[in-house]
Amino acid sequence: MTLHIPFDNTYAALPPVFYTKQAPVPVKAPELLAYNAALGAELGIVPGEASGEAADQAEQAELAEIFAGNHVPEGSDPLAQLYAGHQFGNYNPQLGDGRAILLGEVVGTGGQRRDIQLKGSGRTPYSRGGDGRAWLGPVLREYVVSEAMHSLGISTTRALAAVATGELVWREQGGLPGAVLTRVASSHLRVGTFQIFAARGEQAALRQLTEYAIQRHYPEADGPMGLLRAVRDRQSELIAAWMSVGFIHGVMNTDNSSISGETIDYGPCAFMDVYHPSTVFSSIDRMGRYAYSNQPDIGVWNLAQLATALIQGSEDPQAMVEEATEIVHAMPALTEAAWLRRFGAKIGIAEATREDMPLITDLMQRMAAGQADFTNTFRALVDAVDSDAASARAQFLDPEAFESWATDWRARLEREADPAAVMAAANPVYIPRNHRIEAMIEAAVAGDMAPFERLNAVLSDPFTVQPDAEDLRRPPAKHEVVAATFCGT
């Protein structure tokens, strides 16, 4: 093999209580569907020196073998991580990587340490009866949406590769084409990683994990409460960023809450078309726990679970309770401040204050009542600032609902230097709309990867109007509406 991946593994050097070492399960006929060459270069992954068509074909085959799990590259130390978690508020005492294998870590060209993980790589001791595989649809969904999030400037895991396995995966729909996603993350440490050792009373492991997390992610943090505070700050910013683009994670369980503050685990996620604060897409979220407007509160709830776990690892838990409580209770105000900053920019205010909050919330109430498209309404404000409001008016069932709001808005913008530029930088033209994702998956299952490639290309530059991509701005017609999304396991 000629491909070089510069592994430098630290998690695998921790005691085996944190994981099970295991190689991925090979697949029948790996075929490379997509490879993120720019990200690969950033990670320091070096292809062979040969060139030409034959060399390209050999490299594609080699990438497929590695990222399907058929070949474990030199320096890799594959393992499945152990964790627990609250799922929809109910504690599950043992979860873990049931269909994922961490190949190892690399320190990229920018000096950042990141994990390389295979998703859909076969059974592990944590599979709980599952087959450990993934089918093509969720793999391509995560590839497109995670890369779109990155281009939107939102902290996220990344997609490095997608490989077809040449095998069928059996789900309720029947036999579906199998695939493996290669995911890159700052780490795969979750709130649930801490919870399992706290619940078991394994204080030594919990303290070692805390020290590891601090060293890896927040070296400036002072002890467990410093870690809690750092995670809180990152999560506050992340949730506000989600909301600013109409993103709904769908499964904000503690095992899907990353210590690094990255968006992780794109299961039944979705971007809103028509705005409404109670929007839910996940087919398994029957009570609306993870609805769009609930995400800040769930962030606080998840942080409280991390606080509880970290306190359990202390030699004097009672002494930490007061400080932990103060840290957790400060999160709503931090998230609101981040939300105000982002949504202020979305209506052209460079440095919004609490006095601007009513103007923002009034618009959003009108959007909900008028069934306005979230993305297109905010983007239309770029033109509407100079009274060219046709596009903005058209988003509302009653166009007058926009005009009566816009009078106060334009008056407020008279105090801003360049509101149109502020809005253009805050409001994307393109998002991964659900109906386009579903159409892309349907095409890929039929063997046509062109829609996948087009989505990735357009979404890599989401803030720029692209004349040949006007159709990707269009909300779904009635027959195209995606009412529910699925986790895809």
Side-chain angles (χ1 to χ4, degrees):
M1 308 294 278
T2 59
L3 190 74
H4 175 64
I5 303 177
F7 287 109
D8 180 49
N9 306 317
T10 61
Y11 198 81
L14 294 174
V17 67
F18 296 107
Y19 53 76
T20 298
K21 291 200 175 183
Q22 175 186 321
V25 180
V27 303
K28 180 180 178 181
E31 176 189 357
L32 187 68
L33 300 175
Y35 177 64
N36 192 337
L39 178 57
E42 191 178 315
L43 297 173
I45 298 176
V46 180
E49 296 181 358
S51 59
E53 183 176 347
D56 289 344
Q57 291 177 349
E59 183 178 314
Q60 296 260 319
E62 183 177 0
L63 289 167
E65 288 286 319
I66 291 173
F67 296 127
N70 283 23
H71 172 78
V72 177
E74 183 179 354
S76 172
D77 198 352
L79 57 86
Q81 291 182 319
L82 174 65
Y83 49 85
H86 277 89
Q87 299 181 307
F88 292 88
N90 300 307
Y91 184 67
N92 191 321
Q94 181 170 303
L95 296 170
D97 290 332
R99 59 176 183 136
I101 291 292
L102 176 64
L103 287 182
E105 306 154 33
V106 297
V107 179
T109 54
Q112 181 183 0
R113 177 176 297 276
R114 286 185 280 194
D115 287 354
I116 299 178
Q117 183 198 65
L118 303 184
K119 288 186 67 178
S121 51
R123 285 191 179 96
T124 77
Y126 315 121
S127 295
R128 295 178 293 160
D131 61 12
R133 292 302 188 185
W135 76 275
L136 182 63
V139 165
L140 296 186
R141 172 187 288 271
E142 179 159 349
Y143 195 113
V144 169
V145 178
S146 63
E147 286 303 294
M149 289 286 269
H150 171 71
S151 296
L152 287 166
I154 298 174
S155 184
T156 180
T157 59
R158 302 284 306 276
L160 179 60
V163 177
T165 64
E167 301 173 349
L168 291 179
V169 173
W170 294 93
R171 298 292 182 262
E172 291 180 0
Q173 307 96 309
L176 299 166
V180 177
L181 175 78
T182 303
R183 179 167 72 184
V184 174
S186 292
S187 83
H188 286 83
L189 297 178
R190 312 152 189 267
V191 171
T193 315
F194 292 79
Q195 285 183 284
I196 192 165
F197 300 108
R200 292 178 175 181
E202 298 180 11
Q203 291 189 323
L206 187 54
R207 283 195 287 269
Q208 186 169 15
L209 180 65
T210 300
E211 292 169 2
Y212 177 83
I214 290 172
Q215 182 179 7
R216 181 156 180 178
H217 292 298
Y218 307 107
E220 73 285 356
D222 183 12
M225 292 299 98
L227 173 62
L228 183 67
R229 188 175 287 106
V231 172
R232 177 202 63 189
D233 293 350
R234 289 273 183 92
Q235 287 289 339
S236 296
E237 291 289 338
L238 178 64
I239 292 168
W242 289 351
M243 300 187 78
S244 74
V245 294
F247 178 76
I248 304 167
H249 185 279
V251 277
M252 288 178 67
N253 298 328
T254 56
D255 56 295
N256 295 334
S257 180
S258 168
I259 296 300
S260 69
E262 290 180 326
T263 313
I264 192 170
D265 287 331
Y266 291 87
C269 66
F271 286 76
M272 282 191 292
D273 295 306
V274 172
Y275 170 70
H276 197 283
S278 62
T279 301
V280 175
F281 284 98
S282 171
S283 63
I284 55 178
D285 191 3
R286 296 179 180 89
M287 304 301 292
R289 177 181 174 87
Y290 300 140
Y292 171 80
S293 61
N294 287 347
Q295 293 179 125
D297 290 341
I298 293 298
V300 177
W301 197 92
N302 287 349
L303 187 73
Q305 309 317 307
L306 177 60
T308 300
L310 291 172
I311 289 169
Q312 294 299 315
S314 171
E315 295 179 356
D316 186 5
Q318 193 57 41
M320 297 177 69
V321 169
E322 185 174 347
E323 184 178 3
T325 301
E326 180 182 339
I327 292 168
V328 172
H329 284 182
M331 188 174 183
L334 290 172
T335 305
E336 182 181 275
W339 184 97
L340 179 59
R341 185 173 64 253
R342 286 183 176 272
F343 276 83
K346 289 180 78 66
I347 67 167
I349 303 172
E351 296 183 10
T353 68
R354 286 198 62 82
E355 293 180 357
D356 298 308
M357 184 75 80
L359 188 64
I360 301 168
T361 55
D362 184 22
L363 172 62
M364 298 186 74
Q365 287 166 0
R366 292 167 187 250
M367 288 169 61
Q371 299 181 28
D373 183 86
F374 184 93
T375 301
N376 289 347
T377 299
F378 279 109
R379 185 68 193 194
L381 298 182
V382 177
D383 296 325
V385 68
D386 293 322
S387 299
D388 182 10
S391 179
R393 286 168 52 88
Q395 303 302 321
F396 295 79
L397 291 177
D398 176 10
E400 188 56 34
F402 173 76
E403 285 297 351
S404 58
W405 172 83
T407 300
D408 291 339
W409 171 59
R410 291 191 180 102
R412 171 62 181 85
L413 293 190
E414 290 178 359
R415 294 160 26 208
E416 296 296 314
D418 193 355
V422 171
M423 287 185 285
N427 295 318
V429 183
Y430 310 100
I431 56 167
R433 291 188 181 267
N434 303 324
H435 66 298
R436 293 298 182 186
I437 293 286
E438 293 303 318
M440 173 272 291
I441 292 172
E442 184 177 347
V445 169
D448 180 9
M449 293 295 291
F452 167 82
E453 292 163 0
R454 181 177 183 234
L455 274 180
N456 278 320
V458 171
L459 293 169
S460 69
D461 189 14
F463 294 96
T464 302
V465 176
Q466 302 173 47
D468 59 347
E470 190 63 25
D471 58 310
L472 297 184
R473 301 181 68 173
R474 179 179 61 80
K478 285 187 178 181
H479 69 280
E480 296 175 314
V481 171
V482 177
T485 50
F486 302 85
C487 65
T489 55

